[in-house]
Amino acid sequence: MLKTQNAAVTPAPRDRRGRALRDLRISVTDRCNFRCVYCMPKAVFGKDYQFLDRKDILTFEEIARAARIFTGLGVEKVRLTGGEPLVRRNLEHLIGLLSSIPGLDLTLTTNGSTLKHKARALKDAGLRRVTVSLDALDDAVFRRMNDVEFPVAKVLEGIEAAAAAGLAPVKINMVVKRGENENDILPMARFFRGSGHVLRFIEYMDVGHTNGWRMNDVVSAREIVSMIDREFPLEQIDPNYTGEVAERWRYRDGSGEIGVIASVTQAFCRDCTRARLSTEGKLFTCLFATSGHDLRALLRGGATDDEIRESIAAIWTRRDDRYSEIRTSQTAKLEKIEMSYIGG
C-alpha cells in the first residue's frame, strides 16, 4: 500500500548555483508514433527497438504522488511529455489526478497527431494548455522530418481543435535544423502571425547521442530573429517569469509574438529551474544528463512522502549542471539520455 501523508511543506531547496526547483517535466511514455530525424531516428529506433516494459513504467497513481511531493519542494508547473504522451492509454485519468493538485499549472507537449480527437477530453480532464511540435508547413519537408509520412494538415487541425477547446494560448515549437527545414522559418512566421498562437523556434540541440548532431547544423536564434525582423519588424520583450527558456519577441505592429530557444548559442543554464522525471521514474536534473536518480524504488519500496521529499531535496541541493555553458564538440559525443526517454 502506498504511504502518503499531509506533511508540512519542506523549505524549497536551492542547488549549488542558487537555482530553485520550479518546473517538473514528466515523461509518461518512451514510445512515439513519429521518427523525427533529430529525436528518434529510424536507424536506431527501428522495428526491433526494445521499449520499456509496462511493469517498469510509473503508474498514473505513482506519477500523481510524485507530483504532489514535488509541489512540496516548490514546483509550480508540470508538463507532460514523452515520447508522445498521447499514445499512452487513458491519459485523461492522469490529467484528472494532477489537475486536483492545488495551484499547479498543468500543460502538455504533443506532436499533434491525435490532438484533433483528444483536445476536448484533455481540457475536460483539467489540462490547461498544450504545446505542439511542428517543424515545417511544407508537407514534403514535414513528412521527411517526421519520417512516417504523416501529413502536416492533420497537425494543423489538431492545433485548431486545441484552441477551440480552450487549451490556449497554443504554443507551436519548431526545431530548426540547417539543411532540413530552415526555409520554412518565414512561412511558419507568416502563417501563425496574428493567429493568437505563439510560435517558438528551437535551436537544434545535441540531446542524446543518436541524432548525429553537429554545430554546423545549428541555425542560431540570432539568425532566425534577423530573418523574421527583415519582413516583420520585431522588438524584444521581458520574460513571463524567471527561468523561462524562450527569449520573447513581439511584432511591432501588435500582431502577436514569437519565441526563440537558444540553448546552444545563448546558454540559459544560470536560470534553469527544471527537473525531469523519466517514464520509469528516474529523476534527471538536466536535459543533457548522462544518468539519473531512481525514485521508482522509493515510490514502490514503502518510503513515506517525507522520505522521498528529503531525497529529492538532497539531489537538487547537490545539482551543479551547466552543460550548455561548457558545450564543446567533445561533450556532444557523451552518451546522454535520449530526448524520447527523458522528454524535451
Side-chain angles (χ1 to χ4, degrees), residues 288-300:
F288 304 97
T290 57
S291 62
H293 308 269
D294 188 4
L295 294 189
R296 187 184 64 187
L298 296 175
L299 289 166
R300 296 183 178 179

Side-chain angles (χ1 to χ4, degrees), residues 115-126:
L115 191 54
K116 177 181 178 180
H117 307 289
K118 296 190 175 185
R120 175 56 61 183
L122 295 171
K123 176 64 176 180
D124 291 346

Side-chain angles (χ1 to χ4, degrees), residues 203-223:
E203 292 179 344
Y204 174 49
M205 294 182 289
D206 51 325
V207 182
H209 66 286
T210 62
N211 66 4
W213 183 88
R214 301 178 308 163
M215 187 65 199
N216 290 343
D217 294 331
V218 178
V219 179
S220 73
R222 187 180 299 276
E223 290 178 74

Side-chain angles (χ1 to χ4, degrees), residues 81-302:
T81 69
E84 166 50 40
L86 296 186
V87 304
R88 183 151 179 190
R89 294 179 182 177
N90 302 317
L91 188 68
E92 296 85 355
H93 177 58
L94 172 61
I95 290 171
L97 294 174
L98 294 174
S99 65
S100 70
I101 300 175
L104 188 65
D105 184 10
L106 180 60
T107 69
L108 176 146
T109 295
T110 173
N111 62 27
S113 59
T114 61
L115 191 54
K116 177 181 178 180
H117 307 289
K118 296 190 175 185
R120 175 56 61 183
L122 295 171
K123 176 64 176 180
D124 291 346
L127 189 68
R128 297 184 61 181
R129 295 184 312 283
V130 293
T131 296
V132 179
S133 299
L134 178 62
D135 296 326
L137 280 178
D138 184 286
D139 192 61
V141 174
F142 183 68
R143 288 172 186 259
R144 184 174 68 244
M145 292 195 73
N146 67 55
D147 207 15
V148 293
E149 288 296 316
F150 195 86
V152 70
K154 290 188 177 181
V155 178
L156 295 176
E157 289 173 358
I159 291 171
E160 293 313 306
L167 296 169
V170 179
K171 293 180 179 178
I172 294 97
N173 283 353
M174 176 184 181
V175 174
V176 184
K177 183 179 180 183
R178 196 179 302 279
E180 291 281 351
N181 65 335
E182 73 268 33
N183 290 334
D184 254 57
I185 292 171
L186 275 175
M188 288 278 283
R190 293 178 190 128
F191 185 85
F192 288 109
R193 176 173 168 268
S195 68
H197 308 321
V198 180
L199 175 60
R200 305 193 301 181
F201 300 92
I202 303 175
E203 292 179 344
Y204 174 49
M205 294 182 289
D206 51 325
V207 182
H209 66 286
T210 62
N211 66 4
W213 183 88
R214 301 178 308 163
M215 187 65 199
N216 290 343
D217 294 331
V218 178
V219 179
S220 73
R222 187 180 299 276
E223 290 178 74
I224 294 168
V225 169
S226 295
M227 189 183 304
I228 297 171
D229 182 62
R230 285 194 292 270
E231 182 166 335
F232 304 115
L234 296 166
E235 60 184 0
Q236 191 168 1
I237 54 179
D238 292 335
N240 288 306
Y241 54 88
T242 301
E244 184 174 23
V245 299
E247 189 178 86
R248 298 173 64 206
W249 295 80
R250 69 183 169 205
Y251 296 109
R252 289 182 181 271
D253 65 2
S255 56
E257 70 175 77
I258 64 167
V260 287
I261 299 175
S263 175
V264 177
T265 64
Q266 301 172 44
F268 41 77
C269 300
R270 66 184 178 278
D271 293 325
C272 179
T273 60
R274 291 184 176 183
R276 289 172 167 81
L277 187 63
S278 75
T279 312
E280 59 181 339
K282 287 187 178 180
L283 172 62
F284 294 87
T285 58
C286 180
L287 176 60
F288 304 97
T290 57
S291 62
H293 308 269
D294 188 4
L295 294 189
R296 187 184 64 187
L298 296 175
L299 289 166
R300 296 183 178 179

Side-chain angles (χ1 to χ4, degrees), residues 15-16 21 24-25 58 66 70 274-287 289-299 308-321 337 341-342:
D15 70 8
R16 292 181 179 179
L21 174 56
L24 178 64
R25 293 203 158 198
L58 293 184
F70 272 96
R274 291 184 176 183
R276 289 172 167 81
L277 187 63
S278 75
T279 312
E280 59 181 339
K282 287 187 178 180
L283 172 62
F284 294 87
T285 58
C286 180
L287 176 60
T290 57
S291 62
H293 308 269
D294 188 4
L295 294 189
R296 187 184 64 187
L298 296 175
L299 289 166
I308 298 173
R309 187 180 294 111
E310 290 170 4
S311 178
I312 294 170
I315 292 167
W316 190 262
T317 301
R318 296 194 298 269
R319 178 187 190 234
D320 194 30
D321 301 300
I337 302 301
Y341 168 81
I342 195 177

